[in-house]
Amino acid sequence: MTNLTTFLRTVILSLAVAMAPTAGTAFDGLAFNVAGDSDGLRAKLETASLLVTAKVDGKTDPRDVVAAALADYTKLLNTLYGEGYYGGVIHIRINGREATSISPFAAPARIDTIQVQITPGPQFTFARASVTPPAPDATATPGFQTGAPARSTEVGDAVQTAARDWRNTGHALVRVTDQTVVADHRHATLDARITLAPGPLVRFGELTLTTPSTVRATRIAKIAGLPSDQVFSPKTLEQVAARLRRTGVFSSVVLSETTDLRAGDRMDIGLAVVDAKPRRFGFGAELSSIEGLSVSGFWLHRNLFGGAERFKVEAEISDILNGVEGMDFSLTTRLDIPAALGTDTDAFFTTTLEYLDDPAYRSALAGFGAGVHRRVSDRLAGEVGVAYSYASVDDDLGHRRFSLLSLPATLTWDGRDDMLDAASGFYLHATLTPFHDLSGGATGARVWLDGRGYLGLSDDRVILAGRGMIGSVLGANAASVPSDYLFYSGGGGTVRGFPYQSLGIDLAPDTTIGGRSFFGASGEVRYRLNDSFGLVGFADAGHVGADSLLDFDGDWQVGAGLGLRYYTGLGPIRLDVALPVSGPGGSGPQLYIGIGQAF
């Protein structure tokens, strides 16, 4: 009987515990009320509230809750001021008590209810809004004027804008000397009057290195290109810092303005740098079902002789899966000397060793060159140089040798928002290479144009990408120029879905060479599924012409397919499957794997 009684008591107690209401968290009873909310003010206040943040983060310790409530008075009040409400009343009650009467060190053991009650009052307007004196060609601030909502943020923005305007005219030491901000609660208006002292017209002094560096100070000054004695300009300082960062020698570049002016109101600029590791290496790979595996790598020294010189060695092996006889090899070096011929004008020297065993020809080449690189702006850059190469070529025309002197020139406009995965902007690259064959006497020029454009839709979840390519060989006939100067279609760089170099010019049965002109176009629709994966639909087209001028007669290749993208911090990993749609040379599905978008 005793055992039965004990069992029944245990069962009844267990049922009572199971059926009893569970204890809620402090935020189960959170009520956030804003009186007269008609303009989305509630959403802004909730975003600013630390109590709401604590609820989202799952914090339930009463001491944390009380601390968040106490801090919320200031956070919510500043938000009201930021929206122009200067007569607001805020109540935050925890278990019915005003939070200000509760010490975080004496927090209640349990919190059942939290009530946030905000009465914003009327939104104030500016009775007067002025920042004087204005700079020449001052920037208009529509939100800071008589009759506009008197948001406190507008006052700060107006002062920053006015100070920036003065600095842009050379008055680097502009400062606020007087400020009067008075709220009239009876009329719900704000009177804001700010007075600035522009200070003297400042000119640049000297660039002073304040930290040690392995790069010589004289070279740093030449690369930076600070224009001493010119009128101060914040944009110029940004350009100075950008030039130093572009060298890749420094992991950190910080410029500082001195407040003590030298004679003639000249301002010295302090420069603190942190050297990056001088050596770097990297690699890449791409796989095609027809062209095989290609691997590449580079080794880079950022400060070869102590003057921020960049020396880069690159090597690539292609068509690895197609046997040793079909493999391509290349080894190139390039030495860049920044500011060798003045600020923004670099000098470079190159060497090339290359063996190509392509479907259309075999070529062995050795060459060297030198030139200058000029950066015109953040978007526009150009190169011009002189180069010599000796090539031995075997193709359907037989065995030929070339001793080629050329004057390659390039011009690049890069307006993309991201070089690895662009969502907007456009990119243009033009190359003109006049040449003369010292052994055969042929003279001509090779022209190449590559344009790309990007348009983001639906917050960049959908990207429309397009590419157009035009090439031409002028002056010389196809038999008198090296095969790699001519144009072919097919492969990952032109028309996916077709084997590499599968379309050229047929001179006779079993006799095919490259064309003297080329036109190519590609379009992609890129859809981002989430942060890690995306899908791509694409179509490519290519045409090779026998003459220098495009006439669009003859064969075209058109391919299309689908792709998968896996997004990483180094750029997307690309997997494309393409099929030939029309044109000669197709041989079924083609697979392409690489790093980065196709273009």
Side-chain angles (χ1 to χ4, degrees):
M1 186 70 177
T2 302
N3 292 337
L4 178 59
T5 301
T6 302
F7 173 75
L8 291 174
R9 287 177 178 173
T10 302
V11 171
I12 292 171
L13 180 61
S14 299
L15 289 173
V17 171
M19 297 175 64
T22 57
T25 67
F27 294 112
D28 289 339
L30 174 62
F32 201 101
N33 299 309
V34 180
D37 179 28
S38 60
D39 59 355
L41 180 61
R42 175 194 176 100
K44 294 182 174 65
L45 290 165
E46 287 186 335
T47 300
S49 172
L50 294 178
L51 283 171
V52 173
T53 301
K55 178 181 180 179
V56 173
D57 293 343
K59 294 182 179 180
T60 58
D61 188 294
R63 290 171 297 183
D64 293 337
V65 175
V66 171
L70 293 174
D72 255 1
Y73 286 101
T74 300
K75 294 279 290 183
L76 296 174
L77 186 64
N78 287 338
T79 302
L80 289 173
Y81 286 176
E83 294 301 312
Y85 296 90
Y86 296 93
V89 178
I90 301 171
H91 290 290
I92 302 175
R93 296 183 177 93
I94 298 177
N95 292 345
R97 294 175 57 192
E98 193 72 33
T100 52
S101 66
I102 304 174
S103 169
F105 302 102
R110 170 176 169 155
I111 296 177
D112 295 312
T113 61
I114 304 173
Q115 294 176 318
V116 180
Q117 180 65 46
I118 303 171
T119 304
Q123 187 180 41
F124 283 46
T125 58
F126 285 115
R128 182 172 179 178
S130 66
V131 180
T132 57
D137 300 323
T139 304
T141 52
F144 186 68
Q145 59 185 0
T146 301
R151 297 181 176 90
S152 63
T153 53
E154 295 289 354
V155 180
D157 291 345
V159 173
Q160 291 181 1
T161 299
R164 183 172 62 248
D165 289 341
W166 277 112
R167 283 174 57 82
N168 287 337
T169 61
H171 295 266
L173 301 181
V174 59
R175 60 188 178 89
V176 175
T177 57
D178 185 45
Q179 53 184 335
T180 302
V181 181
V182 179
D184 183 343
H185 289 265
R186 184 174 60 176
H187 297 98
T189 59
L190 192 72
D191 192 317
R193 289 172 287 176
I194 314 297
T195 303
L196 302 178
L201 182 68
V202 176
R203 296 181 179 277
F204 284 119
E206 302 298 327
L207 185 68
T208 304
L209 187 62
T210 61
T211 55
S213 174
T214 56
V215 183
R216 297 187 299 274
T218 53
R219 291 288 297 141
I220 291 177
K222 189 171 183 180
I223 295 168
L226 182 71
S228 297
D229 296 331
Q230 286 191 15
V231 173
F232 173 91
S233 167
K235 184 177 180 180
T236 299
L237 288 183
E238 294 173 3
Q239 292 172 341
V240 167
R243 292 179 187 126
L244 293 170
R245 293 189 183 104
R246 275 198 303 266
T247 64
V249 178
F250 308 110
S251 60
S252 174
V253 176
V254 178
L255 297 175
S256 58
E257 303 171 18
T258 58
T259 56
D260 295 330
L261 302 181
R262 294 197 287 111
D265 293 328
R266 282 165 171 74
M267 172 185 284
D268 291 336
I269 302 298
L271 170 62
V273 298
V274 176
D275 289 349
K277 293 182 178 180
R279 298 170 185 84
R280 180 186 171 197
F281 68 91
F283 68 93
E286 186 164 341
L287 177 65
S288 165
S289 56
I290 292 295
E291 299 163 42
L293 175 66
S294 298
V295 296
S296 60
F298 72 87
W299 178 87
L300 172 68
H301 197 301
R302 293 186 173 101
N303 189 27
L304 188 62
F305 303 120
E309 301 89 356
R310 291 167 57 90
F311 181 65
K312 189 174 186 179
V313 180
E314 293 184 274
E316 181 176 10
I317 304 176
S318 306
D319 295 340
I320 295 176
L321 302 182
N322 291 334
V324 175
E325 291 185 357
M327 288 196 297
D328 301 333
F329 306 88
S330 68
L331 178 67
T332 63
T333 67
R334 176 165 172 140
L335 174 65
D336 286 277
I337 305 175
L341 302 175
T343 302
D344 293 325
T345 304
D346 307 339
F348 65 86
F349 301 89
T350 63
T351 64
T352 302
L353 291 174
E354 181 179 76
Y355 176 78
L356 301 178
D357 192 348
D358 287 343
Y361 61 88
R362 290 193 306 274
S363 170
L365 179 146
F368 58 89
V372 295
H373 175 94
R374 172 72 177 177
R375 181 172 291 275
V376 182
S377 68
D378 292 339
R379 301 289 190 185
L380 183 63
E383 285 188 357
V384 61
V386 57
Y388 173 78
S389 62
Y390 182 84
S392 175
V393 177
D394 289 286
D395 57 15
D396 286 351
L397 295 178
H399 180 74
R400 295 173 294 155
R401 299 179 185 273
F402 299 92
S403 180
L404 217 61
L405 181 66
S406 61
L407 301 173
T410 65
L411 193 64
T412 303
W413 173 276
D414 194 345
R416 297 172 293 183
D417 62 334
D418 187 332
M419 290 189 297
L420 297 177
D421 190 13
S424 63
F426 61 92
Y427 168 89
L428 294 173
H429 179 77
T431 300
L432 173 64
T433 308
F435 62 85
H436 176 69
D437 184 5
L438 300 177
S439 59
T443 300
R446 189 180 193 270
V447 180
W448 178 254
L449 299 175
D450 183 352
R452 310 172 190 183
Y454 308 88
L455 176 63
L457 305 174
S458 301
D459 295 327
D460 292 342
R461 290 184 65 85
V462 178
I463 307 296
L464 303 181
R467 182 185 189 185
M469 299 169 286
I470 298 176
S472 179
V473 174
L474 305 172
N477 59 50
S480 61
V481 298
S483 295
D484 60 349
Y485 269 47
L486 301 175
F487 303 101
Y488 299 86
S489 181
T494 53
V495 181
R496 287 165 286 186
F498 289 84
Y500 179 57
Q501 292 184 348
S502 55
L503 178 62
I505 300 299
D506 294 329
L507 300 180
D510 299 325
T511 304
T512 301
I513 63 171
R516 296 172 63 203
S517 60
F518 174 81
F519 174 80
S522 297
E524 291 193 346
V525 179
R526 303 169 183 170
Y527 177 69
R528 189 152 189 160
L529 297 172
N530 50 45
D531 290 340
S532 299
F533 291 97
L535 297 176
V536 175
F538 60 86
D540 302 332
H543 170 77
V544 177
D547 298 323
S548 296
L549 299 180
L550 287 168
D551 55 18
F552 298 113
D553 290 335
D555 293 323
W556 283 76
Q557 286 182 333
V558 178
L562 296 174
L564 178 68
R565 301 292 184 268
Y566 176 65
Y567 299 100
T568 71
L570 299 177
I573 296 176
R574 168 170 44 93
L575 169 63
D576 288 338
V577 178
L579 287 168
V581 176
S582 65
S587 59
Q590 307 294 316
L591 176 69
Y592 305 90
I593 300 175
I595 299 175
Q597 297 286 6
F599 59 87

